[in-house]
Amino acid sequence: MSASSVAGPAVQTLCATSQGSAQEIDDRERYSRQVLFAGIGEAGQRRLAAAHVAIVGVGATGAAAAGLLARAGVGRLTLIDRDFVEPSNLQRQVLFDEDDARAALPKAEAARRHIERLNSCVKVTAHVADVVPGNIEALLEGAEIVLDGTDNFETRYLINDLAVRDGRPWIYAAAVGAYAATMNILPKTEGAEPTACLACIFPAAPAGNVETCDTAGILSTAVNLAASLQVTEALKFLTGQPELMRRSLVSYDLWSGEHSEISTAHARTGCEVCGERKFRALAGEARPHITLCGRNSVQIHEHDRPVDLAALAARLRPLGDVRSNGLLLRFKRGEHTLTVFPDGRALVQGTTDTGLARSLYARFIGS
């Protein structure tokens, strides 16, 4: 069904400016050029205003995607990220600025604040959280489509399990160096068969010397290409045109000009997830500690308990440098930095040794 086939009046919402002044933005003017595009039209714009998209990971690709969706007029965004803004992010993470990095704001919250300023009509829910089997259903509740902005296959397999189980579409995206890739994972819809799922194409996570943004660097142009491709596919779905969505894994190397495309039109025979419907990631089987991309750090997420950040700051100040903004606490001692969140989760920087990270957590935060 095309977007133009839905009847009804044009979008006429008035949104207050971020300063809360009497000046308002008329959405007929805001979206006028997008509505002129035949693929969207007035009916498609109404669909976007009523849509709900979740983005898991609001770093480089996720931040770019969030900004594009907000500017397109998607009515509700759920942003989920476990990390905070650092100076090294500013080269490619387009929603953040120097103030965010100086304050070490959680990325989900910083993104929410910036989106509020660029489109106050969009309702944004920010979750400063790690997506794990125990919370993924609640975090993604109500979202019509999920966009991948993560940096690890453990979380992607978890999203894939939930999406396949529930018949929900999601879009994989990746960017490193000058390389960008995306892939739609689609359930069966009227007139269309389901695509391959992530496990069909990647039965196991890449092993060996896998490039990351820390080892290979990254171009902001690759990030923005991945996000643009991903969001364009999402707009097709949200405007009621899933039949136009690409059924392939497409990749580009912007530096060399090389590109490739692998068909994902059919599921792999014997796929454990979409064929046998075994959802091991969702069941939490063998979930490891995750070493973060480019951070020389380990995430400790085995403790789920409230932490009084003010009391913790008072206790740690005699032991090292402490910074706290009410949303997280950073404690630096020697070559290690512990970033603690209110739910007890922590990032331990300065090591990739999970045993040492656990030891530091137990020593300074408590076991």
Side-chain angles (χ1 to χ4, degrees):
M1 178 169 61
S2 69
S4 59
S5 66
V6 180
V11 175
Q12 299 185 19
T13 305
L14 293 175
C15 293
T17 63
S18 59
Q19 290 77 20
S21 68
Q23 184 180 2
E24 295 176 323
I25 302 295
D26 187 337
D27 277 3
R28 289 172 298 186
E29 182 177 356
R30 182 197 295 268
Y31 303 121
S32 60
R33 304 306 186 268
Q34 184 165 278
V35 167
L36 283 173
F37 175 65
I40 302 292
E42 292 182 354
Q45 196 63 50
R46 286 194 298 276
R47 284 181 177 269
L48 294 179
H52 179 188
V53 178
I55 302 177
V56 181
V58 196
T61 305
L68 290 169
L69 289 169
R71 292 183 186 279
V74 171
R76 182 176 177 187
L77 297 176
T78 294
L79 308 180
I80 309 159
D81 197 284
R82 65 193 181 192
D83 209 349
F84 57 91
V85 183
E86 294 185 282
S88 64
N89 300 149
L90 301 179
Q91 167 257 345
R92 65 194 180 280
Q93 299 188 14
V94 296
L95 276 184
F96 310 133
D97 60 28
E98 293 178 357
D99 287 341
D100 299 325
R102 279 189 286 264
L105 281 180
K107 290 181 180 179
E109 174 60 19
R112 184 194 68 78
R113 296 181 187 184
H114 284 284
I115 288 172
E116 185 178 66
R117 289 194 288 271
L118 67 90
N119 191 342
S120 60
C121 280
V122 178
K123 180 181 179 181
V124 183
T125 302
H127 296 284
V128 183
D130 186 29
V131 176
V132 296
N135 66 14
I136 186 170
E137 293 186 58
L139 291 174
L140 300 183
E141 184 178 5
E144 300 160 54
I145 189 168
V146 179
L147 304 192
D148 165 34
T150 69
D151 60 7
N152 67 88
F153 268 83
E154 288 81 11
T155 307
R156 288 169 176 147
Y157 285 133
L158 183 58
I159 298 169
N160 189 64
D161 272 12
L162 183 74
V164 171
R165 189 197 72 179
D166 296 349
R168 191 184 324 194
W170 74 284
I171 305 179
Y172 159 82
V176 65
Y179 170 87
T182 70
M183 169 185 169
N184 301 323
I185 296 92
L186 304 174
K188 183 178 177 63
T189 57
E190 184 178 348
E193 292 300 310
T195 65
C197 76
L198 185 71
C200 290
I201 306 301
F202 301 104
N209 294 322
V210 179
E211 287 188 334
T212 70
C213 57
D214 191 44
T215 60
I218 187 165
L219 294 180
S220 61
T221 50
V223 168
N224 286 302
L225 175 60
S228 294
L229 293 171
Q230 187 184 47
V231 169
T232 301
E233 294 299 304
L235 293 178
K236 295 175 188 178
F237 175 80
L238 295 171
T239 55
Q241 303 170 85
E243 71 279 2
L244 299 181
M245 296 179 73
R246 190 183 64 250
R247 290 171 169 262
S248 62
L249 168 63
V250 62
S251 63
Y252 297 87
D253 187 316
L254 280 72
W255 205 255
S256 69
E258 297 177 355
H259 67 276
S260 65
E261 195 164 359
I262 301 171
S263 174
T264 59
H266 303 288
R268 176 174 57 84
T269 301
C271 176
E272 186 178 68
V273 177
C274 65
E276 301 176 8
R277 299 189 67 79
K278 295 179 180 177
F279 305 121
R280 298 186 187 276
L282 197 56
E285 295 183 17
R287 182 174 174 83
H289 290 272
I290 298 172
T291 300
L292 302 182
C293 168
R295 296 284 299 282
N296 186 30
S297 61
V298 173
Q299 179 178 216
I300 302 292
H301 53 77
E302 58 195 358
H303 302 287
D304 185 8
R305 61 178 185 198
V307 172
D308 184 333
L309 296 182
L312 181 62
R315 180 161 59 86
L316 292 178
R317 278 197 182 96
L319 305 176
D321 180 51
V322 175
R323 295 173 56 196
S324 181
N325 57 22
L327 298 171
L328 56 81
L329 177 149
R330 299 195 72 192
F331 169 62
K332 181 174 177 58
R333 183 179 170 92
E335 62 185 5
H336 300 109
T337 300
L338 281 72
T339 302
V340 185
F341 296 86
D343 62 359
R345 184 172 56 88
L347 304 178
V348 182
Q349 291 177 267
T351 183
T352 56
D353 182 333
T354 58
L356 175 58
R358 274 202 187 108
S359 175
L360 291 168
Y361 185 99
R363 179 180 175 188
F364 296 111
I365 313 303
S367 59

